[in-house]
Amino acid sequence: MRVVIAEDLALLRDGLIRLLTTHGFEVLEAVDNGPMLLAALLKHRPDVAVIDVRLPPTHTDEGLRVALEARRRVKGLPVLILSQYVEQLYARELLSDRSGGIGYLLKDRVGDVEQFVESVRSVAAGGTALDSEVVSQLLTRRDDRLAALTPREREVLAMMAEGLSNQAIAGKLVVTDKAIGKHTSNIFAKLGLAPDDDLNRRVMAVLAYLEG
């Protein structure tokens, strides 16, 4: 699996290279600034990009803005944002883009290497990987479709937004897999998501949640 990394801190950048290489990823390029990141993404069109939000030259939201520009030019380019911050202005726009895998994890909340690696793989496969704190900060409004969900359905959808499978959600809520399957079916129906492959409907449901 081919990956491009953007991180301006040399030690963390080197750590990501070693970590992902150890787990079978091919690191095509690791850069430390926005212009080099955009050039690398357009040149390599990787299977997934792991990007910090704050990169030179602005040290503000350069990484997010480059990710948005790259996805405009390379439709569906999978992007995993790995940051210390939730930048709401561009994060909502990025996460609302319905093409390709997307993720947003907070550095100080990534405590498990295997879980992080699985998040990278999930995004590369077209899935989502969202930190619950990111979700809570971005959910500032709801739409009518979300208002139709029951409290339990909202709870299940929030866990879907964190990237949990039906089985994992069932374990957390101490219910059967069948019960979670029924909840997810109700969620899809209330959000107006027509029958499609289950992965795509899960992604669309999560994005509707974020947009709402």
Side-chain angles (χ1 to χ4, degrees):
M1 194 172 293
R2 302 156 58 251
V3 59
V4 165
I5 297 170
E7 169 58 58
D8 64 323
L9 297 178
L11 288 177
L12 183 52
R13 186 171 64 252
D14 185 62
L16 285 170
I17 294 171
R18 292 173 183 272
L19 172 64
L20 293 175
T21 300
T22 298
H23 284 81
F25 291 85
E26 178 188 358
V27 178
L28 301 173
E29 197 166 343
V31 302
D32 64 358
N33 64 73
M36 288 182 67
L37 171 60
L38 183 58
L41 294 177
L42 296 181
K43 174 184 176 182
H44 298 295
R45 302 193 174 208
D47 298 313
V48 62
V50 179
I51 300 173
D52 188 13
V53 168
R54 299 189 174 184
L55 295 172
T58 67
H59 290 286
T60 54
D61 48 24
E62 192 81 5
L64 271 174
R65 290 191 287 110
V66 169
L68 282 166
E69 178 61 24
R71 281 168 70 94
R72 278 191 282 267
R73 299 197 198 184
V74 183
K75 197 68 174 175
L77 177 70
V79 171
L80 173 61
I81 299 296
L82 183 62
S83 179
Q84 290 179 299
Y85 315 94
V86 180
E87 297 289 351
Q88 297 201 23
L89 180 61
Y90 292 106
R92 185 179 294 279
E93 182 180 351
L94 179 67
L95 295 173
S96 296
D97 180 358
R98 295 176 182 270
S99 63
I102 200 72
Y104 200 129
L105 302 178
L106 297 179
K107 290 178 181 177
D108 61 356
R109 289 167 57 87
V110 177
D112 185 280
V113 169
E114 293 299 329
Q115 186 176 9
F116 171 70
V117 171
E118 185 55 37
S119 294
V120 179
R121 291 197 175 110
S122 175
V123 171
T128 57
L130 304 175
D131 189 289
S132 59
E133 180 62 24
V134 174
V135 173
S136 67
Q137 289 193 38
L138 292 178
L139 294 180
T140 56
R141 56 189 174 87
R142 297 284 194 274
D143 66 15
D144 291 339
R145 295 176 302 164
L146 294 174
L149 301 182
T150 67
R152 178 51 68 118
E153 288 164 356
R154 288 174 182 268
E155 190 175 13
V156 170
L157 183 51
M159 292 185 184
M160 287 171 58
E162 294 176 39
L164 299 183
S165 65
N166 281 9
Q167 185 177 15
I169 295 172
K172 277 183 171 283
L173 297 180
V174 196
V175 298
T176 65
D177 291 358
K178 184 177 180 180
I180 297 303
K182 183 177 180 180
H183 286 312
T184 56
S185 293
N186 289 340
I187 290 167
F188 295 151
K190 290 179 180 180
L191 294 180
L193 299 176
D196 199 346
D197 66 280
D198 188 56
L199 176 60
N200 185 57
R201 287 206 294 175
R202 290 177 76 88
V203 172
M204 298 292 277
V206 168
L207 293 176
Y209 190 45
L210 291 171
E211 288 179 328

